[in-house]
mmCIF file of all heavy atoms in Angstrom:
data_model
loop_
_atom_site.group_PDB
_atom_site.id
_atom_site.type_symbol
_atom_site.label_atom_id
_atom_site.label_comp_id
_atom_site.label_asym_id
_atom_site.label_seq_id
_atom_site.Cartn_x
_atom_site.Cartn_y
_atom_site.Cartn_z
ATOM 1 N N TYR J 8 -0.920 7.945 -17.872
ATOM 2 C CA TYR J 8 -1.205 6.826 -16.932
ATOM 3 C C TYR J 8 -1.466 7.363 -15.527
ATOM 4 O O TYR J 8 -0.997 8.414 -15.191
ATOM 5 C CB TYR J 8 -0.053 5.827 -16.862
ATOM 6 C CG TYR J 8 0.112 5.008 -18.187
ATOM 7 C CD1 TYR J 8 0.995 5.491 -19.166
ATOM 8 C CD2 TYR J 8 -0.712 3.935 -18.466
ATOM 9 C CE1 TYR J 8 1.137 4.799 -20.369
ATOM 10 C CE2 TYR J 8 -0.560 3.175 -19.682
ATOM 11 C CZ TYR J 8 0.429 3.661 -20.585
ATOM 12 O OH TYR J 8 0.542 2.998 -21.755
ATOM 13 N N LEU J 9 -2.182 6.548 -14.773
ATOM 14 C CA LEU J 9 -2.482 6.872 -13.401
ATOM 15 C C LEU J 9 -1.124 7.006 -12.579
ATOM 16 O O LEU J 9 -0.963 7.923 -11.830
ATOM 17 C CB LEU J 9 -3.341 5.775 -12.809
ATOM 18 C CG LEU J 9 -3.966 6.102 -11.447
ATOM 19 C CD1 LEU J 9 -4.983 7.115 -11.580
ATOM 20 C CD2 LEU J 9 -4.631 4.728 -10.922
ATOM 21 N N SER J 10 -0.213 6.096 -12.800
ATOM 22 C CA SER J 10 1.005 5.991 -12.043
ATOM 23 C C SER J 10 1.947 5.099 -12.735
ATOM 24 O O SER J 10 1.735 3.877 -12.769
ATOM 25 C CB SER J 10 0.710 5.451 -10.614
ATOM 26 O OG SER J 10 1.860 5.335 -9.900
ATOM 27 N N SER J 11 2.975 5.632 -13.405
ATOM 28 C CA SER J 11 3.797 4.734 -14.216
ATOM 29 C C SER J 11 5.287 4.679 -13.627
ATOM 30 O O SER J 11 5.652 5.607 -12.899
ATOM 31 C CB SER J 11 3.772 5.182 -15.673
ATOM 32 O OG SER J 11 4.411 6.410 -15.808
ATOM 33 N N PRO J 12 6.012 3.659 -13.948
ATOM 34 C CA PRO J 12 7.379 3.575 -13.481
ATOM 35 C C PRO J 12 8.193 4.739 -13.790
ATOM 36 O O PRO J 12 8.078 5.393 -14.863
ATOM 37 C CB PRO J 12 7.889 2.294 -14.159
ATOM 38 C CG PRO J 12 6.753 1.539 -14.564
ATOM 39 C CD PRO J 12 5.694 2.515 -14.879
ATOM 40 N N HIS J 13 9.131 5.124 -12.987
ATOM 41 C CA HIS J 13 9.953 6.409 -13.172
ATOM 42 C C HIS J 13 11.365 6.053 -12.709
ATOM 43 O O HIS J 13 11.723 6.055 -11.504
ATOM 44 C CB HIS J 13 9.398 7.585 -12.334
ATOM 45 C CG HIS J 13 10.000 8.781 -12.527
ATOM 46 N ND1 HIS J 13 9.772 9.884 -11.720
ATOM 47 C CD2 HIS J 13 10.862 9.212 -13.422
ATOM 48 C CE1 HIS J 13 10.470 10.904 -12.132
ATOM 49 N NE2 HIS J 13 11.145 10.521 -13.184
ATOM 50 N N MET J 14 12.243 5.751 -13.673
ATOM 51 C CA MET J 14 13.570 5.347 -13.297
ATOM 52 C C MET J 14 14.441 6.642 -13.000
ATOM 53 O O MET J 14 14.170 7.659 -13.569
ATOM 54 C CB MET J 14 14.186 4.547 -14.444
ATOM 55 C CG MET J 14 13.559 3.186 -14.689
ATOM 56 S SD MET J 14 13.738 2.130 -13.164
ATOM 57 C CE MET J 14 12.077 2.000 -12.630
ATOM 58 N N GLY J 15 15.372 6.453 -12.110
ATOM 59 C CA GLY J 15 16.162 7.647 -11.729
ATOM 60 C C GLY J 15 17.451 7.771 -12.475
ATOM 61 O O GLY J 15 17.962 8.887 -12.602
ATOM 62 N N GLY J 16 18.033 6.657 -12.908
ATOM 63 C CA GLY J 16 19.316 6.842 -13.731
ATOM 64 C C GLY J 16 20.288 5.736 -13.366
ATOM 65 O O GLY J 16 20.926 5.180 -14.264
ATOM 66 N N SER J 17 20.448 5.435 -12.043
ATOM 67 C CA SER J 17 21.564 4.451 -11.755
ATOM 68 C C SER J 17 21.056 3.025 -11.632
ATOM 69 O O SER J 17 21.835 2.140 -11.164
ATOM 70 C CB SER J 17 22.286 4.893 -10.442
ATOM 71 O OG SER J 17 21.407 5.174 -9.488
ATOM 72 N N GLU J 18 19.765 2.772 -11.876
ATOM 73 C CA GLU J 18 19.279 1.419 -11.754
ATOM 74 C C GLU J 18 20.073 0.443 -12.701
ATOM 75 O O GLU J 18 20.445 -0.657 -12.200
ATOM 76 C CB GLU J 18 17.787 1.317 -12.155
ATOM 77 C CG GLU J 18 16.824 1.979 -11.174
ATOM 78 C CD GLU J 18 16.728 3.531 -11.453
ATOM 79 O OE1 GLU J 18 17.370 4.099 -12.327
ATOM 80 O OE2 GLU J 18 15.968 4.156 -10.675
ATOM 81 N N GLN J 19 20.343 0.849 -13.846
ATOM 82 C CA GLN J 19 21.027 -0.083 -14.870
ATOM 83 C C GLN J 19 22.390 -0.431 -14.379
ATOM 84 O O GLN J 19 22.911 -1.502 -14.640
ATOM 85 C CB GLN J 19 20.941 0.512 -16.197
ATOM 86 C CG GLN J 19 19.807 -0.067 -16.939
ATOM 87 C CD GLN J 19 19.646 0.416 -18.370
ATOM 88 O OE1 GLN J 19 20.107 1.537 -18.712
ATOM 89 N NE2 GLN J 19 19.133 -0.399 -19.264
ATOM 90 N N LYS J 20 23.046 0.568 -13.724
ATOM 91 C CA LYS J 20 24.423 0.328 -13.253
ATOM 92 C C LYS J 20 24.406 -0.855 -12.227
ATOM 93 O O LYS J 20 25.253 -1.833 -12.332
ATOM 94 C CB LYS J 20 24.958 1.568 -12.566
ATOM 95 C CG LYS J 20 26.339 1.530 -11.994
ATOM 96 C CD LYS J 20 26.715 2.641 -11.107
ATOM 97 C CE LYS J 20 26.045 2.478 -9.707
ATOM 98 N NZ LYS J 20 26.448 3.538 -8.804
#
Side-chain angles (χ1 to χ4, degrees):
Y8 292 94
L9 193 65
S10 176
S11 68
H13 184 194
M14 293 298 110
S17 52
E18 291 83 0
Q19 268 183 327
K20 179 191 79 177

